[in-house]
Amino acid sequence: MGGVVTRTTFQLILIKPTHYDDDGYPITWLRSHIPSNTLAALYGLGADCRQRQVLGADVDIVIKPFDETNTRVRADRIMRDLKRSGDKALICLVGVQSNQFPRATDLARQFIKGGFSVAMGGFHAAGCLSMLPVIPPEIQAAMDMGVSIYAGEAEEGRLDEVLLDAWNGTLKPLYNYMNDLPGIEAAPTPHLPPAALARNEGRKSSFDLGRGCPFQCSFCTIINVQGRKSRFRTPDDLEAIVRENYKQGITSFFITDDNMARNKHWEAFFDRLIELRENEGICVSLIIQVDTQCHRIPNFIHKARWAGVYRVFIGLENVNPDNLLAAKKRQNKITEYRKMLQAWHTSGASTWAGYILGFPGDTRESILRDMEIIKKELPLDILELFMLTPLPGSEDHQTLWKQGVWMDPDLNKYDLHHRVVHHPKMSDAEYEQTYRDAWRTYYTPEHIETVAKRHGSIPGRNPAEPAQFMTMFKIMFEAEGVHPLEGGVVRMKYRRDRRYGMPIESVGVFHWKLALETVRKLKIYGRLAWQGWRIGQKVKNDPKRHEYTDLALQPVMDDDMDKLSLFADTAGGGAAVNKRRGEDLARAKIAAQQNQRLAAAE
């Protein structure tokens, strides 16, 4: 008779850290808005390792995911449970961006002090190691503390290696795969367990269908972390992801591709989703990211809407061609902005655009002027304002690092919402005030009503919806003091979770401050929510709302471009119009020559 096989357990703890607010408390919500793709991808890879029994047939791998944007991470409780069970474990701090690195390090410090193995990966480590000739001091300090740094992606068996090393007690100080990015075709399906997804507002999940980008934007980290060569999943991979989540009741997704319109399989992906909708009744709701040229791709917008896309993030970045050129954002043509936004608007999709403030040529006057131009001439819904930030891993950061230019040493501020460099034309105070005023300039009650009216003019659209989202953005900025993309539902704050090195306040002081803060926030929430609701209802109940039009909705006539402030108020705008007209004349000339040749041949 064979002996009884003794089974052991290995715990893989996956933690997606948040970052600290200005008072040093982790930004955590009861429900978060944006799900973590990295957490879903690594959970799927971990589940694949478990199925393949990479640690041996007698070892069970238990995976526990934590997204700190919606879950308080109690290192003491996690360690107590591990010590009680006696299981071996690896604590992985995943998807760590630069602004999350201080929080990740603080968590790692607690786990290492407790005697547990810790690995950390994400854009900060990968970006720094790909763009800098030396290991930055904060990464070296983490390694000296005992953290294993992982740079790169974990597909093609690379997670296997880390798990085996952790199991054998031989974790390396550094795993650097930046020169060998894996393929993602037929990779394990990204997913999360129901309990984790339930903490996302609206029960959303996320996944990617492609990685990498061929463009050269100097402020971007993606091209240096995920590579300039694009890599793709397949339509079969997409179907597997949708079906896996559908079994859990998840049908709403954020596709995290930096630019879905440049994914070579976009049409096959949309066709597969349309087939699932038509043949099996599996309907999904999608948020995607696209570029400003996507409307020129035949059928892209039509099929996107048919497949379930209801919201698009667009990298508008700026309306001044000189700024776009300075940032190497050559693919953005401001002469196409109105056509592109009108195409999405007509389709009924909601448009959310990223917009960067603080280019070298910007002034307070030019920024506030551009806000007014956008409001008047572009049919855009949500504008997401960011400070131009030299993110570690970007060309901008590399350039300033080589030149020895001052950059704020506090990585917690590298969230695109805080100033971390000096501006050449504005003082620090003026730059920061202009950023705040730009938010307030765009999100006025009058403009919220205008956007609601634009949606109300489309049959079947609910104008209260954009009013609600714009109000939510305004509330996050005004009441919570965070960038709206970091927002959520009900902020959670815990006294003992304060940033390492900052004093832990007494119970009385902490709760007194929290009470005053809560009262202040509730007043802002109440006032703005009531304001947004009234605007939405006013437009919704207007019997003539389908007759509404304004300049932003009017057809784009090339001959009238000079009359628009979008093109007339900057030297770059005028040059863009002249270049566009020259290209049109050249195309017309070529077409005429072709017609002449055809006529002669006949």
Side-chain angles (χ1 to χ4, degrees):
M1 295 179 63
V4 177
V5 177
T6 303
R7 303 196 64 80
T8 56
T9 298
F10 179 86
Q11 293 200 34
L12 176 60
I13 310 295
L14 302 174
I15 300 174
K16 177 68 172 76
T18 184
H19 83 117
Y20 295 109
D21 64 17
D22 292 341
D23 293 325
Y25 293 100
I27 301 175
T28 301
W29 306 89
L30 182 66
R31 294 287 183 272
S32 58
H33 288 320
I34 300 179
S36 170
N37 172 59
T38 302
L39 199 60
L42 283 169
Y43 187 89
L45 290 171
D48 178 66
C49 289
R50 177 174 56 202
Q51 182 179 358
R52 291 186 290 108
Q53 300 180 329
V54 298
L55 299 182
D58 59 341
V59 180
D60 295 321
I61 300 177
V62 174
I63 313 166
K64 295 180 179 179
F66 297 86
D67 185 344
E68 200 178 19
T69 64
N70 56 40
T71 304
R72 185 188 184 192
V73 174
R74 293 289 302 271
D76 55 341
R77 291 185 179 179
I78 292 173
M79 290 188 289
R80 186 170 63 241
D81 291 344
L82 288 172
K83 289 176 180 177
R84 183 183 299 120
S85 67
D87 298 336
K88 286 187 176 182
L90 174 64
I91 315 295
C92 290
L93 297 156
V94 307
V96 180
Q97 300 171 12
S98 295
N99 67 88
Q100 298 159 347
F101 195 87
R103 175 58 180 167
T105 302
D106 288 353
L107 287 171
R109 182 180 292 106
Q110 296 179 60
F111 287 116
I112 289 174
K113 186 177 180 180
F116 292 94
S117 299
V118 178
M120 183 192 303
F123 263 59
H124 183 70
C128 288
L129 293 176
S130 70
M131 296 296 284
L132 300 179
V134 298
I135 297 176
E138 73 279 355
I139 293 180
Q140 185 62 57
M143 293 169 63
D144 292 344
M145 187 168 52
V147 177
S148 292
I149 297 295
Y150 189 99
E153 298 168 11
E155 285 82 5
E156 293 187 350
R158 294 166 190 185
L159 183 59
D160 300 26
E161 178 187 357
V162 176
L163 294 184
L164 283 165
D165 286 351
W167 174 255
N168 293 319
T170 57
L171 275 175
K172 301 178 180 66
L174 176 64
Y175 295 82
N176 190 348
Y177 288 106
M178 290 308 299
N179 294 323
D180 184 21
L181 297 174
I184 57 174
E185 182 176 333
T189 302
H191 67 283
L192 286 167
L197 291 173
R199 295 181 177 274
N200 294 322
E201 182 266 331
R203 288 180 59 80
K204 293 185 183 72
S205 190
S206 62
F207 57 85
D208 57 18
L209 293 173
R211 297 177 192 166
C213 179
F215 297 125
Q216 303 179 50
C217 309
S218 65
F219 54 79
C220 183
T221 60
I222 289 174
I223 55 178
N224 304 312
V225 173
Q226 295 186 346
R228 296 282 305 283
K229 181 180 179 182
S230 298
R231 295 158 289 137
F232 309 102
R233 298 189 193 271
T234 69
D236 288 342
D237 296 333
L238 169 61
E239 182 174 338
I241 293 170
V242 170
R243 289 187 182 279
E244 177 68 30
N245 284 275
Y246 188 75
K247 289 188 297 185
Q248 301 179 25
I250 303 298
T251 58
S252 183
F253 303 98
F254 175 30
I255 300 179
T256 61
D257 292 36
D258 185 57
N259 188 353
M260 186 68 178
R262 296 294 168 243
N263 190 311
K264 67 179 182 179
H265 299 310
W266 72 262
E267 191 163 21
F269 288 142
F270 289 157
D271 285 342
R272 184 64 61 90
L273 293 173
I274 291 167
E275 289 175 14
L276 291 173
R277 176 186 296 265
E278 299 294 324
N279 298 335
E280 300 184 43
I282 299 177
C283 302
V284 298
S285 299
L286 302 175
I287 302 171
I288 63 171
Q289 302 183 101
V290 297
D291 63 24
T292 59
Q293 298 291 306
C294 60
H295 65 296
R296 304 181 71 175
I297 303 173
N299 291 324
F300 181 85
I301 292 179
H302 170 69
K303 285 203 171 182
R305 288 288 288 148
W306 194 3
V309 173
Y310 70 95
R311 185 187 304 165
V312 289
F313 285 95
I314 304 164
L316 205 67
E317 314 308 5
N318 210 265
V319 296
N320 188 328
D322 297 330
N323 286 341
L324 295 171
L325 186 62
K328 297 184 179 180
K329 191 82 176 181
R330 298 180 179 89
Q331 67 272 24
N332 276 25
K333 312 294 183 184
I334 69 166
T335 51
E336 295 291 326
Y337 280 7
R338 287 184 75 211
K339 288 184 178 179
M340 177 268 299
L341 289 168
Q342 286 180 359
W344 281 113
H345 178 79
T346 302
S347 77
S350 178
T351 52
W352 299 38
Y355 195 87
I356 300 173
L357 308 178
F359 286 105
D362 281 338
T363 63
R364 174 177 173 81
E365 292 73 22
S366 70
I367 287 172
L368 297 182
R369 175 204 66 199
D370 291 347
M371 290 297 103
E372 296 297 341
I373 291 173
I374 292 169
K375 288 161 61 177
K376 183 179 179 181
E377 299 182 2
L378 296 180
L380 178 65
D381 301 337
I382 298 291
L383 193 65
E384 304 162 359
L385 300 174
F386 304 103
M387 283 189 165
L388 182 63
T389 301
L391 291 171
S394 69
E395 180 185 336
D396 285 350
H397 181 271
Q398 182 190 58
T399 299
L400 295 181
W401 185 89
K402 287 181 177 179
Q403 294 173 351
V405 175
W406 178 86
M407 294 180 281
D408 199 304
D410 185 2
L411 288 173
N412 192 68
K413 294 181 180 178
Y414 285 68
D415 57 358
L416 314 183
H417 188 60
H418 289 79
R419 180 193 57 78
V420 297
V421 292
H422 302 306
H423 191 271
K425 292 186 177 181
M426 293 181 279
S427 68
D428 294 347
E430 184 182 27
Y431 182 19
E432 291 167 356
Q433 185 61 47
T434 300
Y435 174 70
R436 292 190 292 268
D437 289 345
W439 276 102
R440 297 184 179 111
T441 298
Y442 187 82
Y443 288 91
T444 62
E446 294 78 15
H447 189 57
I448 292 175
E449 183 172 340
T450 295
V451 173
K453 286 179 177 178
R454 289 172 183 167
H455 276 269
S457 67
I458 303 175
R461 286 289 294 169
N462 178 9
E465 181 181 308
Q468 174 188 347
F469 277 114
M470 294 182 77
T471 298
M472 182 270 290
F473 263 57
K474 192 171 183 178
I475 286 173
M476 287 296 111
F477 184 82
E478 295 287 348
E480 299 290 353
V482 301
H483 195 284
L485 290 188
E486 286 192 303
V489 179
V490 185
R491 174 71 193 278
M492 312 299 287
K493 188 178 287 190
Y494 303 97
R495 185 175 68 91
R496 292 189 174 276
D497 292 352
R498 204 170 195 189
R499 186 174 182 177
Y500 181 77
M502 299 184 75
I504 303 298
E505 295 178 317
S506 67
V507 174
V509 170
F510 174 81
H511 287 287
W512 173 248
K513 287 183 177 180
L514 185 60
L516 292 178
E517 180 184 294
T518 301
V519 170
R520 180 187 63 83
K521 287 181 180 180
L522 287 176
K523 289 180 179 179
I524 298 174
Y525 269 79
R527 174 173 56 83
L528 295 182
W530 171 245
Q531 182 185 87
W533 181 84
R534 283 195 306 158
I535 291 171
Q537 293 305 303
K538 175 185 175 182
V539 177
K540 185 177 181 180
N541 295 323
D542 183 354
K544 296 183 179 181
R545 66 185 177 96
H546 293 149
E547 301 173 15
Y548 177 82
T549 188
D550 61 24
L551 178 60
L553 298 179
Q554 292 173 11
V556 178
M557 306 300 291
D558 290 347
D559 292 340
D560 294 334
M561 283 186 176
D562 292 333
K563 300 176 184 178
L564 295 174
S565 297
L566 179 64
F567 308 113
D569 284 7
T570 64
V577 171
N578 291 332
K579 182 180 179 181
R580 164 69 181 275
R581 287 173 175 165
E583 292 171 346
D584 289 345
L585 286 173
R587 281 192 292 266
K589 184 177 181 180
I590 293 172
Q593 292 172 345
Q594 290 175 339
N595 290 335
Q596 288 176 356
R597 285 195 294 268
L598 288 173
E602 292 176 355

